[in-house]
Amino acid sequence: MKKSKLRNEIANSFLQTFIKGYLAESSLTEEQLYDIPTFLMLRDCELFGVLHKKWDVENLSTNQAVFLDDLEKRIQAGVPIVMLNYETFLKP
């Protein structure tokens, strides 16, 4: 199974439960729910900057280089870290 597919499945499962619990205590509009990808992209952009500050980008380990490359490609493509199925979160 592809890494991104597994990540999407885990994120959707987690968020389904998280949103259900959140809605038991607070409210969330449909518009706010659909804003989540924007915040996920913001998270990636901030993480990219932090990693460039914290890591020696001229001497990255293989894992660091792969992670940073994947992160940069996602940012450039405008793709959030996970693709969520928001319609399932809106169902009672």
Side-chain angles (χ1 to χ4, degrees):
M1 177 180 291
K2 283 181 67 176
K3 182 171 54 172
S4 61
K5 184 176 179 185
L6 178 61
R7 184 173 41 223
N8 287 338
E9 287 178 7
I10 292 169
N12 276 288
S13 176
F14 167 79
L15 199 56
Q16 182 82 33
T17 304
F18 180 84
I19 294 293
K20 182 179 178 183
Y22 183 86
L23 291 174
E25 298 294 324
S26 191
S27 63
L28 184 67
T29 67
E30 186 174 338
E31 181 180 341
Q32 290 170 323
L33 185 64
Y34 283 101
D35 281 340
I36 291 173
T38 302
F39 288 101
L40 292 174
M41 289 299 302
L42 178 61
R43 174 251 183 213
D44 277 354
C45 291
E46 184 170 355
L47 180 60
F48 188 78
V50 167
L51 294 178
H52 268 81
K53 182 177 180 181
K54 296 290 183 182
W55 289 350
D56 179 1
V57 293
E58 299 298 322
N59 297 298
L60 296 173
S61 71
T62 301
N63 286 342
Q64 288 173 324
V66 168
F67 183 84
L68 207 52
D69 186 56
D70 287 348
L71 183 60
E72 183 176 14
K73 286 177 183 173
R74 260 199 333 267
I75 293 168
Q76 289 175 343
V79 176
I81 189 167
V82 292
M83 302 301 289
L84 300 170
N85 185 357
Y86 297 98
E87 288 74 28
T88 62
F89 308 132
L90 298 172
K91 294 178 184 174

